[in-house]
Amino acid sequence: MTDITRRLYDGHPVWPGDTPCSFELTWKMREGASVNVGKLTTTTHLGTHLDAPWHYVEDGGKLESVPLSVLIGPCQVVDARGQRALDAPFLRSLELRAERVLFYTGQPDEWRDFPQEFTHVLPAAVDYLAERGVKLFGTDAPSVDPLTSKDLPGHKAFARHGIYIVEGLALGTVRPGGYELIALPLRLEGADASPVRAILR
């Protein structure tokens, strides 16, 4: 079993301008409290996370609309290092065999600073993934669109095809091939996203 979830910690980098990640103890046994209790303040898009369609489409489904069946099952890990953008020709060169496909683009498994450049996904590539029956797309990048994108063509293409997105995976130690994926979010009602604990076995 391999944990492909980014380690979270106080001050973990977040998307520029998003809510900083902060963890602190509000009750402390060393100061006389009966237990230690922590407080977590963060964005819903922290580290390894699942986007709900509502994040990028106003009438899209919120987090509770994402079927658990999509988040558990056979998956394929693809080595996509060296690709500035995932395009249809590159995807056609692969033998895609699973409904869940995770792309290792070369992002380190731990971010000390938020990445400014990373591999994004072109809409034509999403069209091809849909033709192949893909239901879940995963990436080690923090987004499927470039950092400066405002119209989010990648996200919108995934929305058109009903393909769910997991971003920020930690895939640096994973060999390409077939696995079983489990990537479960918090049960947040009405949310746009949630951190997930993602594992392969």
Side-chain angles (χ1 to χ4, degrees):
M1 187 175 301
T2 303
D3 194 337
I4 56 171
T5 312
R6 291 182 180 277
R7 183 178 68 88
L8 301 180
Y9 51 86
D10 183 48
H12 188 284
V14 298
W15 192 273
D18 205 347
T19 305
C21 175
S22 171
F23 176 79
E24 60 180 307
L25 285 178
T26 54
W27 295 358
K28 303 174 184 179
M29 294 177 68
R30 66 175 180 267
E31 295 179 358
S34 58
V35 290
N36 289 316
V37 175
K39 180 178 78 171
L40 177 66
T41 304
T42 187
T43 171
T44 51
H45 296 264
L46 180 66
T48 306
H49 66 275
L50 168 70
D51 282 352
W54 186 54
H55 170 52
Y56 41 88
V57 179
E58 182 58 36
D59 61 353
K62 296 181 180 178
L63 189 64
E64 62 267 26
S65 73
V66 182
L68 291 180
S69 60
V70 173
L71 306 175
I72 302 173
C75 82
Q76 181 177 353
V77 175
V78 172
D79 188 339
R81 286 176 292 177
Q83 302 297 312
R84 181 175 175 82
L86 295 182
D87 58 21
F90 171 71
L91 296 185
R92 289 193 187 98
S93 73
L94 308 171
E95 290 187 28
L96 298 180
R97 302 178 299 274
E99 291 185 346
R100 302 160 194 84
V101 185
L102 314 181
F103 289 85
Y104 173 50
T105 69
Q107 284 290 322
D109 286 351
E110 187 168 302
W111 292 324
R112 283 301 172 184
D113 298 296
F114 196 85
Q116 300 299 298
E117 294 187 4
F118 44 83
T119 303
H120 60 281
V121 188
L122 299 180
V126 182
D127 295 341
Y128 180 75
L129 291 171
E131 290 175 17
R132 299 296 299 175
V134 171
K135 303 296 184 186
L136 178 77
F137 174 90
T139 177
D140 59 348
S143 176
V144 298
D145 284 300
L147 186 71
T148 56
S149 177
K150 300 302 182 186
D151 54 352
L152 306 179
H155 282 89
K156 301 278 177 67
F158 282 111
R160 285 196 302 273
H161 291 294
I163 300 174
Y164 297 99
I165 304 168
V166 175
E167 297 166 329
L169 292 162
L171 296 171
T173 63
V174 180
R175 293 182 179 179
Y179 299 88
E180 180 189 20
L181 171 69
I182 301 172
L184 298 180
L186 298 174
R187 195 170 184 177
L188 297 173
E189 291 291 315
D192 59 298
S194 171
V196 300
R197 187 67 180 263
I199 62 171
L200 295 176
R201 61 182 182 183

